[in-house]
Amino acid sequence: KALQDKYPGKVDVIHPKVSDEVPSNFYLVPDFSRIGKIKGLLQGRVHKYNPWVKNFIDQHKAEYSHCFINCGIFGDLVKDIQARGIKVCVIHHNYEVEFQMDNRSMPTFGGRFSYFVRRNERNAYRHADLNLFLTNSDIETFKCEYGDISNGKNKVIGIFEDVDRSFDDVKGRALSPRNLVICGSLNSVQTVRGMEHFSTNCLPSLHKCFNEDFTLLLTGRNPNEYICKLAGNDSRIRLIPNPENMSETIIDSGIFICPTNVGGGIKLRVMDGLKLGMPIITHKVSARGYDAFWGEKWFQVYDDAESFKLALDNVVEIIKDNQGLRDEIIESYRRYFSFSSGKERFLSSITSFLS
């Protein structure tokens, strides 16, 4: 959207077919059959864009000068697109190998899937004209895994919303430290691992800090058996599965907790708390990409039972001492994650690439 705002009528999008009603500048990639997906994987293809994209560009290459690839998993296309006279920028959302392995829901064919994902991501990183990352942590991981490319090709843009939104309906609300919330996909590997660690190492601190007088809200998609059992065994935990509107469901909470302790990239759930003006207590893995807030008293990072207890004490104290805390957090969120600020950051990072 940032590109379309800057260059109206000059940006086309290649996208998987999700419906028949799409904008006129969208070109839809047909889906693979199940057999086609298995056959493609055995041949080293981990996505359906190749060879469709190469055929498309062969037909339209005179119309394009630059290409943005939205994920390193499509790295097998980089050199082919460049060979057709088009510069390539790759936006890396995370360390894809780690993400795929943490979230896999299908057999990996003896590890072949991981091998091809790594191959594609390495090609994207090494050969793209520009690499954009969401976090500094991901750049450091890529340097360790794929080599240090110190030629100005790697830049961090962070993440931002796709619209400029109003916060008037949230500002001024009081924060209650006894109402805490954890949200996300409640059946994903990342969430469940994080909750297992949290329930053992951190949940006892909530009971002790609030003398049993608190509510921990768990909400998100399709809670699995472990999450349901956890909520069923603790009267202080309230479970709301599959909420229709996440913001409306969690708005009355006073502290946002993100316990996810595995996986790469930036954890978007933290933004759910920030944009509603909630103090954040997050595992250090989920703090990646939120560097701008490190050091703020309302953004606390933990990695074990002791550091969680300290983080909780700090957040409870600052809520009591700062009546305008919610508005302060919302303003910090707006300065960094609003569409306007993110668009400016993104366009600045690609200036030399477009020249």
Side-chain angles (χ1 to χ4, degrees), residues 319-337:
I319 290 176
K320 292 178 179 178
D321 294 342
N322 189 343
Q323 297 299 314
L325 183 60
R326 188 189 288 271
D327 292 0
E328 177 186 331
I329 296 172
I330 289 174
E331 182 58 25
S332 295
Y333 174 84
R334 187 197 62 77
R335 284 199 304 267
Y336 194 77
F337 290 112

Side-chain angles (χ1 to χ4, degrees), residues 162-232:
D162 58 354
V163 294
D164 278 320
R165 55 165 293 181
S166 170
F167 298 94
D168 292 342
D169 58 332
V170 182
K171 288 184 175 181
R173 283 176 175 251
L175 291 165
S176 171
R178 295 181 183 273
N179 293 326
L180 307 95
V181 62
I182 295 173
C183 68
S185 297
L186 299 181
N187 63 348
S188 72
V189 172
Q190 291 189 5
T191 299
V192 173
R193 286 187 185 175
M195 285 303 302
E196 289 172 345
H197 179 271
F198 177 85
S199 63
T200 300
N201 297 281
C202 306
L203 188 55
S205 291
L206 296 185
H207 286 275
K208 184 175 181 180
C209 176
F210 299 115
N211 194 27
E212 303 296 333
D213 183 17
F214 73 95
T215 298
L216 174 62
L217 173 63
L218 301 183
T219 184
R221 291 198 309 261
N222 305 325
N224 73 353
E225 182 179 357
Y226 173 80
I227 299 295
C228 292
K229 185 176 181 180
L230 179 66

